[in-house]
Amino acid sequence: MLDNEILALYYFKNGNINYIAVGGKVLQIFIYQDNILIPKFYFNINTDINQIIGFNNKNEESKKKGDGEKINRLAICDKHGYIGIYNIYNDEEEIKFDFKYKCHESSINCIIYIPEEKYLVSSSSEEKK
């Protein structure tokens, strides 16, 4: 079932769907239903994944309509210094790759999202950045 050594896990829920994202050699996303993991998505765009976070970068008008608590993006960090962004489309129950950007010359150790500024902040201990 898992094609991965597990280096990162992230649980998120959208609507009635429970997802578990598993990072390692590749990114696998499962639906968790009735105590069963159902493979749903497989991405090999980021490799050697070590961090996964979810965030919502919707505008304030969307949040007023009740969309503020939903996760609509995933940031996937890897040991090669890349951050990949994946969009979550709740209405279609779909997750799609958006883009990948080289942010560091070495492994990304930590990442956070600052919603007020709409910034992703990452660090790499090897670079001390």
Side-chain angles (χ1 to χ4, degrees):
M1 178 181 271
L2 286 173
D3 296 338
N4 255 341
E5 172 189 7
I6 299 172
L7 299 175
L9 286 172
Y10 183 72
Y11 166 81
F12 60 102
K13 181 174 183 159
N14 280 346
N16 295 325
I17 301 173
N18 298 297
Y19 292 99
I20 296 177
V22 178
K25 190 76 176 155
V26 295
L27 174 64
Q28 293 178 267
I29 301 175
F30 297 85
I31 292 177
Y32 180 66
Q33 180 179 334
D34 301 324
N35 294 324
I36 298 172
L37 286 177
I38 303 164
K40 182 71 176 170
F41 302 102
Y42 179 97
F43 298 98
N44 61 1
I45 298 159
N46 287 87
T47 59
D48 300 319
I49 297 162
N50 58 355
Q51 297 288 321
I52 302 171
I53 66 167
F55 61 96
N56 184 339
N57 68 341
K58 297 246 178 161
N59 61 31
E60 292 303 313
E61 190 60 35
S62 294
K63 289 179 183 179
K64 288 177 187 174
K65 294 177 183 174
D67 215 12
E69 297 301 316
K70 290 183 180 175
I71 300 297
N72 72 341
R73 297 189 108 182
L74 294 175
I76 310 299
C77 304
D78 64 38
K79 292 183 179 182
H80 308 288
Y82 286 94
I83 296 176
I85 302 296
Y86 296 75
N87 293 320
I88 302 165
Y89 300 96
N90 295 324
D91 298 341
E92 302 169 21
E93 297 179 10
E94 193 67 38
I95 298 174
K96 297 178 182 173
F97 171 75
D98 191 7
F99 66 91
K100 182 168 103 170
Y101 187 77
K102 179 93 168 169
C103 298
H104 295 275
E105 293 302 316
S106 58
S107 181
I108 297 173
N109 302 98
C110 301
I111 188 166
I112 61 168
Y113 179 71
I114 303 171
E116 297 81 13
E117 302 295 328
K118 295 189 178 181
Y119 286 153
L120 282 171
V121 179
S122 62
S123 71
S124 173
S125 59
E126 291 178 41
E127 298 171 20
K128 297 185 171 92
K129 289 184 177 180

